[in-house]
Amino acid sequence: MNHSGKIGFIFLVLFLHSFCVFSEEGMWLPHLLKQLNEADMQAKGMKMTAEDIYSVNKGSLKDAVISFGGFCTGEIISNQGLILTNHHCGFRQIQYHSSVEKDYITHGFWAMTPNEELPCPGLTATFIVRIENVTDKILEGILGTTSEEVRQANIQKKIAEVGAEAIKNTHYDYVIRPFFYGNEYYMFITETFKDVRMVGAPPSSIGNFGKDSDNWMWPRHTGDFSLFRIYANAENKPAEYATTNVPFTPRHFFPINMETLKEGDFTMVFGFPGRTQQYLTSYAVKQLKENINPTRIEIRKIILDKWSENMRLSDEVRIKYAAKYAGKSNYYKKWQGENNGLVRLNTLVKKIEMENAFANKVAGNKELEKLLPDLKEHYLAIEKHTLAREVYSEAILSGIELLTLSNVFVQYLQLGPKADIQKLKSYIEKHFKDFDLKTDKKVALPLLNLYSKWNKDFLPTALKQKKIELLVNELYTQSAFTSKEKTLKLLSHIEKGNTSKIKKDPAYILAFEMANIYQNNIQPVCNQNEYKIELLSRKYIKALIENLPDYRKYYPDANGTLRVSYGIIDGYEPRDAVQYLPFTTFDGMMEKYIPNNEEFDLPPKMLELYQHKDYGPYADNGQLIICFAASNHTTGGNSGSPIINAKGHLIGLNFDRSWESTMSDIAYDATICRNIGVNIKYVLFVIDKFAGAGYLINEMKLVKEN
Ligand code: ARG
Ligand code: GLU
């Protein structure tokens, strides 16, 4: 029996109002495509059925899509478990295996035999086995009268029960998530593989060509891919890393398109989008745009400036901070684009218009007409505290690494007997592998200054009493958290039950007091109001769909679960009188090429291949297409997602959105929002012609009929 076909109430309302308007907005649940999207997808050119994409009974496309490490998407491209994902998704692994002597970041890495594939401790690949609507089971007996906090706790209990029952006597796991703010619940049964090995990665000059200047931008020329492989035990089941494990045989893998891509072609992105907030009220959007984003941007600018100064001075620091830098700079830039986009789309005004339309429609209904004023009240009530939380989290917890580590110890000691010392030890190892004291100290002074200025009402004693310069000097000369040896020594005292030393450590004292201030004075105010906001939002979205069903398109916000987006290969007009085409070429990459430049250099071998136009079978009409733009609605987490054509063949790998689309997590505009993918034929070109790893192509299935 296929229980997954059961459709939830809200989805049913959407179905009844079935919109056959052609617009690409939306991230859809794979098991509901039949009811909601199949006709629209076919009208756009899709030659498959919904059952070809998601099926519980037979192998379908979903069996070739994985959550890569829980933060990106990947796809299986051979019957030997070969994974394709982005370079930036595999980057932590590339960096983990790199050193000044074996610099895979700069030179790339290719395993020439299975023996050379590198184990990646902690890296996982997760498949979705099936999806089920569990709304009735989760909400059964949950009373509307209890407080939101109690309700959430009861729901968590229910989730644990329902999930445990579903995976009883299997090696599967489950994920149960709320949809439409908890109006519905869906369960995803998952299978997670733990032996995932690194197979190949191009040099960063290809995999991250254009770096920060080109990030979030179209036109783009980045070969943003890397290769991994899933290993399983002799029964083809998940197992911990073992030399006896063998390459995994999947239920499905993507055939690879060798046809020429055309503007207007149907495209589909299948992956794990992380988080969107399409139904935020105007009050929330205002807060995000005017307070939260500017705060985050200012803090990250300080960190990135200081880090890059030191990364330029030393190769060792450059390698240590490479992945951390890429991670921080990515959203630093995105938030700026997002704010521009919100202004440009006039999102605030449009939200207010919708809220007015809603208010008119529900006027006279005592319960519903209070929803928006109540939401407003709770958003205003947390303004100061959400900002303080942001400052604490960005500037202290993830800004000053000395305090990050100190805080890990604060949390560890709070856990008491439940604390896991092995976990802490491996955290310490990882922390110091990528830590540079001088670089961190450089960041500490301006960030503590900023904390004092912005979080005036939440100051720890040291910041009230000491000059910040003096405090920083004291922290970086006297704290044990400045070196691995001293930290481990401190830990050995703690293991013996002696905590007097740590309690005198200046970084610990500071982190401890800041954590207390956060837990007592900031977090409770946020939590209390956010519970209320959650409850009101649940009622609001339901009422919105019921009362204004045609006002906009409704679909559940991204929440890290498997989704399908679809659209076409398409350019756009970024501004007045400017038109962007949907394909970029090697010629265009050469226009950007700057020898020895940090961002736009290319390896000599690439120049040679270009000179001889040695593109092998990967060219189209004499050009090698590098990237393409399409109108699929995507977000963070969709990186590495397969871009699939009308027949289910792989045409590319999603890795970014254009600058003008970065607000699409909050407000989507079909005329300008574009996702960016790297052409699969360029990926094959790099593997084959550039890296000489053509043997990998032999295990793939290339198809040349459309
Ligand atoms: N913006 C893309 C994403 O959100 C790519 C990030 C990696 N590239 C970079 N230059 N940092 O993840
Ligand atoms: N690069 C993003 C990721 O890592 C995808 C781009 C986006 O946010 O759309 O998932």
Side-chain angles (χ1 to χ4, degrees), residues 256-261 620 645 681 703-706:
I256 292 189
N257 168 69
M258 290 296 281
E259 282 293 329
T260 299
L261 302 176
D620 292 290
N645 69 9
K681 288 158 106 181
V703 284
K704 205 175 165 63
E705 29 82 41
N706 254 345

Side-chain angles (χ1 to χ4, degrees), residues 63 99-100 117 137 203 215 222 241 264 308 350 358 373 385 424 517 570 613 631 698:
D63 297 308
S99 57
V100 176
E117 297 181 358
K137 289 185 192 166
N215 192 19
T222 311
Y241 170 81
S308 69
K350 286 191 188 137
F358 177 78
H385 292 82
L424 181 60
I517 291 172
D570 205 2
K613 300 282 177 289
S631 54
N698 298 338

